[in-house]
C-alpha cells in the first residue's frame, strides 16, 4: 500500500482518528523494539562469538 492510498483511507473516514493513532502507536512501538533488538542482539552475538 502506498502513502497516497493510506491517506485516502484516513481522509475518507474509512478509519476513525482514534483507531488511526492507536494503530500507528502500536506499529511505532513494535518497530522501535525490532530496531533495538536487532542492534543489541547483533552486538551480543558479536560479544559471545556467534557472529
Amino acid at each position: 500500500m502506498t502513502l497516497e492510498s493510506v491517506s485516502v483511507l484516513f481522509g475518507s473516514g474509512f478509519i476513525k482518528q482514534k483507531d488511526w493513532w492507536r494503530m500507528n502507536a502500536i506499529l511505532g512501538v513494535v518497530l522501535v523494539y525490532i530496531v533495538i533488538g536487532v542492534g543489541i542482539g547483533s552486538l551480543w552475538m558479536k560479544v559471545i562469538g556467534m557472529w
Side-chain angles (χ1 to χ4, degrees):
M1 209 180 267
T2 63
L3 183 59
E4 294 83 16
S5 61
V6 172
S7 299
V8 169
L9 288 175
F10 175 68
S12 66
F14 186 74
I15 298 174
K16 296 178 183 145
Q17 187 173 12
K18 180 182 77 168
D19 296 332
W20 180 259
W21 284 107
R22 183 172 44 102
M23 286 188 300
N24 283 308
I26 291 168
L27 288 174
V29 169
V30 168
L31 289 176
V32 167
Y33 277 117
I34 288 172
V35 168
I36 290 172
V38 167
I40 293 174
S42 56
L43 287 174
W44 179 247
M45 290 294 185
K46 185 73 170 175
V47 168
I48 64 174
M50 292 186 70
W51 185 54

